[in-house]
């Protein structure tokens, strides 16, 4: 499975460049003190800058020389099976289009500012990418079971998209859903946000909301901690699909479940 698409850099318009520039400048300022150190390092390696929409050839060269991952250009959201197959092959899906200027702060579907700016820098971190790949293997093992995929999705959501990490300098953001949102980048580290220690069982048990700031954020101490949680994630998902009555293709998105496990 491959999409056979590529970034057509010379087709970007003046509006695209302006959108990238405005989003980049705003996030660069907000994230300077808030983003995880490995994200900032990855951004520097990829030489992201305000005046220049990220060039996938350059991003791929950096990924090749660090973790061996690469970008797979996709048209937009893709089916779960394609998504996890790509991750298992060390390819991270990204769109190439940018949101229009008139909806700078609102996105119905992730554009390349989210997919590329917010996701690519951390793909230079070895434990983080090993975690992603291992998570994709669990998903593929149970790809036809809607409950299992929902549960993998919860873990992905509260780590890869909305995760926080405790660093020597303080709490920082590594989740791409936060990193591409100026409002949530500020909110998640503020006094009102509900921050909790990373807890696989708790994440698996509760459903989440997509259209607002998160009602909770989970804090890891290292990317190694994520990777080392994989056996527990797999065990608890296996337990859930055997214990929770469900049809293989039923809608389980809003289901709160109870797990006994470790
Ligand atoms: Fe994302």
């Amino acid at each position: 499975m491959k999409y056979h698409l590529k970034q057509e850099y010379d087709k970007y318009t003046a509006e695209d460049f302006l959108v990238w520039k405005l989003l980049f400048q705003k996030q660069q300022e907000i994230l300077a003190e808030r983003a995880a150190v490995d994200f900032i390092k990855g951004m520097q390696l990829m030489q992201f800058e305000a005046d220049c929409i990220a060039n996938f050839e350059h991003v791929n060269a950096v990924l090749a020389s660090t973790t061996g991952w690469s970008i797979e250009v996709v048209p937009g959201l893709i089916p779960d099976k394609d998504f996890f197959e790509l991750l298992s092959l060390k390819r991270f899906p990204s769109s190439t289009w940018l949101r229009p200027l008139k909806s700078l702060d609102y996105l119905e579907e992730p554009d390349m500012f989210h997919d590329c700016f917010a996701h690519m820098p951390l793909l230079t971190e070895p434990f983080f990418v090993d975690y992603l790949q291992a998570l994709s293997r669990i998903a593929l093992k149970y790809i036809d079971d809607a409950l299992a995929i929902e549960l993998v999705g919860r873990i992905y959501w509260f780590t890869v998209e909305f995760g926080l990490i405790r660093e020597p300098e303080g709490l920082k953001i590594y989740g791409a859903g936060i990193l591409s949102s100026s409002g949530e980048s500020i909110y998640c580290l503020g006094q009102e946000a509900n921050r909790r220690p990373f807890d696989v069982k708790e994440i698996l048990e509760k459903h989440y909301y997509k259209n607002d700031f998160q009602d909770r954020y989970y804090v890891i101490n290292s990317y190694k901690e994520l990777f080392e949680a994989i056996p527990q994630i797999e065990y608890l998902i296996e337990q859930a699909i055997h214990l929770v009555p469900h049809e293989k293709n039923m809608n389980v998105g809003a289901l709160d479940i109870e797990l006994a496990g470790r």
Side-chain angles (χ1 to χ4, degrees):
M1 183 271 319
K2 198 166 188 291
Y3 281 85
H4 300 291
L5 294 169
K6 60 186 179 100
Q7 184 185 35
E8 294 178 281
Y9 205 89
D10 51 2
K11 295 217 170 132
Y12 286 121
T13 64
E15 181 178 339
D16 291 329
F17 276 93
L18 180 58
V19 165
W20 174 273
K21 182 176 187 156
L22 293 173
L23 291 170
F24 184 91
Q25 284 177 332
K26 194 170 182 182
Q27 281 314 85
Q28 191 182 35
E29 197 184 326
I30 292 172
L31 296 178
E33 301 288 312
R34 292 179 172 88
V37 67
D38 288 299
F39 176 84
I40 303 271
K41 274 192 212 157
M43 252 182 81
Q44 286 163 352
L45 281 175
M46 288 170 187
Q47 296 174 344
F48 287 170
E49 51 181 280
D51 291 325
C52 196
I53 294 172
N55 187 317
F56 284 13
E57 274 182 33
H58 188 64
V59 174
N60 272 332
V62 172
L63 292 177
S65 68
T66 51
T67 53
W69 278 57
S70 62
I71 304 177
E72 177 82 16
V73 175
V74 295
L77 291 175
I78 57 172
D80 290 336
K81 185 161 187 276
D82 289 5
F83 181 76
F84 290 117
E85 270 179 8
L86 286 172
L87 296 187
S88 75
L89 298 167
K90 300 187 178 186
R91 302 211 290 259
F92 199 92
S94 174
S95 51
T96 57
W97 55 276
L98 281 151
R99 68 196 74 182
L101 194 54
K102 63 177 165 31
S103 53
L104 211 53
D105 290 322
Y106 181 72
L107 255 197
E108 275 182 32
E109 212 181 294
D111 68 349
M112 78 166 276
F113 191 74
H114 171 81
D115 291 339
C116 181
F117 170 84
H119 275 293
M120 297 307 160
L122 205 56
L123 298 183
T124 56
E125 210 293 321
F127 278 113
F128 181 76
V129 289
D130 285 351
Y131 162 73
L132 258 183
Q133 197 178 20
L135 198 60
S136 73
R137 286 203 195 99
I138 300 175
L140 291 175
K141 190 167 159 191
Y142 301 110
I143 196 69
D144 295 321
D145 189 309
L147 178 60
I149 297 305
E150 163 67 21
L151 296 180
V152 171
R154 289 178 189 184
I155 295 287
Y156 185 92
W157 186 262
F158 284 110
T159 57
V160 181
E161 295 292 355
F162 291 94
L164 300 178
I165 183 166
R166 189 171 305 284
E167 294 186 344
E169 304 288 308
L171 269 182
K172 304 283 174 174
I173 306 162
Y174 74 91
I178 308 175
L179 292 165
S180 56
S181 157
S182 55
E184 197 151 6
S185 294
I186 295 169
Y187 172 80
C188 72
L189 296 179
Q191 284 194 336
E192 281 169 36
N194 173 16
R195 290 181 294 269
R196 316 169 66 79
F198 179 60
D199 184 327
V200 171
K201 184 166 165 285
E202 193 179 297
I203 293 174
L204 290 174
E205 286 183 332
K206 275 182 76 181
H207 75 282
Y208 61 88
Y209 300 94
K210 277 194 170 168
N211 295 322
D212 203 350
F213 291 169
Q214 299 305 303
D215 61 357
R216 64 213 134 102
Y217 300 92
Y218 291 94
V219 181
I220 58 169
N221 292 301
S222 67
Y223 304 107
K224 189 165 181 251
E225 182 184 1
L226 285 180
F227 181 65
E228 288 176 348
I230 285 290
Q232 188 196 13
I233 294 168
E234 186 161 16
Y235 170 79
L236 289 174
I237 289 176
E238 266 172 23
Q239 188 193 51
I241 60 176
H242 290 120
L243 292 182
V244 179
H246 66 289
E247 300 288 332
K248 280 212 160 166
N249 56 357
M250 74 184 268
N251 182 4
V252 287
L255 198 68
D256 282 344
I257 64 171
E258 211 169 301
L259 293 166
R262 345 180 251 202

